[in-house]
Amino acid sequence: ETRAALASWTGPGRTADGTPVKLLANVADGDSARSSADAPVEGVGLFRTELCFLNRKEEPSVEEQAGIYAEVLGAFGKDRYVVVRTLDAGSDKPVAFATHEGEENPALGVRGLRLSFGNPALLERQLDAIAAAAEQTGTEAWVMAPMVATVAEAADFSKGVRSRGLKPGVMVEVPSAALLAHRMLEVVDFLSIGTNDLTQYTMAADRMATDLAHLTDPWQPAVLQLIAITAEAGRRAGKPVGVCGEAAADPLLACALVGMGITSLSMAAAAVRPVGARLATVSMETCEDAAEAALAASDPRAAREAVLALLDS
Ligand code: PEP
Ligand code: MG
């Protein structure tokens, strides 16, 4: 039955009873954008801009950056949208012209939006380039910052994005941002939960450490709780809250996330069909039951089993 559903599913994302869930692609550059544009997605939920610059010693000019961003935006045309993430340099993604050297704890150091504290012009130039690319292509651009920890950071970032006529948002990757999601949403138009980092920082376990994989599991009850808090804040504010970490690509977890109130799921294009096909077989009420069961479980395995039992019944 699942195989038949997978074969016949063509999108767009929705539950069996018709609640829309935006399914979006994670992309890294023009090439991955062009290939992802063929998938049944409503746009891009995470354009990791730092991946365009991993081999660059010098910061590209605003014009060159605009050209690179326009390739991604242009691949999705005028009736889909692209969520551009500003540079998430540092820690596991070193970028020569931005990353701070010699930090003892790079994951807890000057990475992501924090780079702009000492170098605001770097972010200003990137926002100029994104605005130019949006203008040039006519594609709707939403812009979000990684590694946001305080409402003041979100407010500052939001001002810079809005002043360029773009739609501001922030990533929820730090537990402080999840706990204050309702206040973040007073200053931005959307939130996007990066479950890879949110899990790392909630569990205090390096996302790259394979021997800690039992901790860096988005089914951990504490992580699910923070996602639920964030989704509920979005529901109350009437603003979109997406998930763009690996968790979004897990068809079972995706159903529970939708039940919590998550409005979009962004993933590698290859994962879209399995997630979309599974969602299409489940009612919103079952998604809500799955969310409740996952949140009540005492560990990741119990959570997964409880959700599977509900979805297959
Ligand atoms: C995340 O942290 O979940 C995320 C989507 O960002 P990245 O994996 O690029 O850190
Ligand atoms: Mg991240």
Side-chain angles (χ1 to χ4, degrees):
E1 186 202 58
T2 307
R3 200 169 304 149
L6 185 59
S8 63
W9 185 81
T10 54
R14 39 169 36 230
T15 60
D17 52 340
T19 303
V21 179
K22 286 195 163 58
L23 299 180
L24 305 165
N26 291 353
V27 306
D29 54 21
D31 281 342
S32 63
R34 281 183 289 273
S35 62
S36 301
D38 295 334
V41 292
E42 289 170 65
V44 169
L46 173 63
F47 169 21
R48 291 180 162 106
T49 58
E50 67 282 352
L51 298 185
C52 301
F53 308 124
L54 290 180
N55 59 358
R56 302 290 293 255
K57 293 212 169 55
E58 312 276 348
E59 180 191 345
S61 68
V62 170
E63 293 69 30
E64 192 187 345
Q65 286 188 53
I68 294 168
Y69 306 151
E71 276 195 53
V72 171
L73 292 173
F76 284 85
K78 291 187 172 46
D79 35 88
R80 294 192 280 180
Y81 68 104
V82 174
V83 181
V84 184
R85 173 172 76 185
T86 56
L87 273 191
D88 187 22
S91 195
D92 55 313
K93 292 176 288 259
V95 172
F97 60 82
T99 305
H100 281 220
E101 296 296 323
E103 290 184 319
E104 289 209 12
N105 291 304
L108 302 180
V110 184
R111 60 165 292 199
L113 181 68
R114 297 168 178 191
L115 286 160
S116 71
F117 301 170
N119 187 0
L122 179 69
L123 175 61
E124 298 283 325
R125 287 189 293 271
Q126 186 174 28
L127 294 179
D128 285 343
I130 297 166
E135 171 90 42
Q136 187 188 318
T137 56
T139 305
E140 186 180 337
W142 300 16
V143 186
M144 67 182 183
M147 205 52 195
V148 171
T150 73
V151 177
E153 289 167 12
D156 251 19
F157 178 78
S158 183
K159 220 195 285 168
V161 174
R162 244 188 251 291
S163 73
R164 289 166 174 86
L166 304 167
K167 194 175 164 89
V170 293
M171 291 189 74
V172 173
E173 301 188 283
V174 181
S176 62
L179 293 168
L180 294 181
H182 62 294
R183 283 159 64 183
M184 296 283 176
L185 284 168
E186 290 170 3
V187 298
V188 295
D189 293 349
F190 69 99
L191 298 176
S192 181
I193 305 173
T195 49
N196 310 332
D197 277 312
L198 183 61
T199 303
Q200 155 167 273
Y201 294 122
T202 301
M203 304 305 295
D206 188 332
R207 59 191 270 182
M208 310 300 276
T210 46
D211 43 353
L212 297 179
H214 63 293
L215 294 177
T216 52
D217 182 334
W219 289 89
Q220 280 286 352
V223 177
L224 295 177
Q225 192 71 57
L226 289 171
I227 295 171
I229 287 170
T230 308
E232 179 58 23
R235 249 181 193 159
R236 288 192 184 194
K239 292 185 177 182
V241 174
V243 168
C244 66
E246 291 307 311
D250 173 343
L252 284 186
L253 186 46
C255 294
L257 296 174
V258 167
M260 290 175 193
I262 291 297
T263 57
S264 71
L265 299 164
S266 191
M267 64 203 85
V272 170
R273 286 184 173 280
V275 168
R278 175 60 99 156
L279 258 183
T281 65
V282 182
S283 70
M284 189 62 186
E285 198 183 333
T286 303
C287 290
E288 285 166 0
D289 291 346
E292 205 176 306
L295 286 162
S298 53
D299 61 51
R301 180 203 293 248
R304 204 181 281 113
E305 279 169 7
V307 169
L308 185 59
L310 273 166
L311 297 196
D312 280 351
S313 67

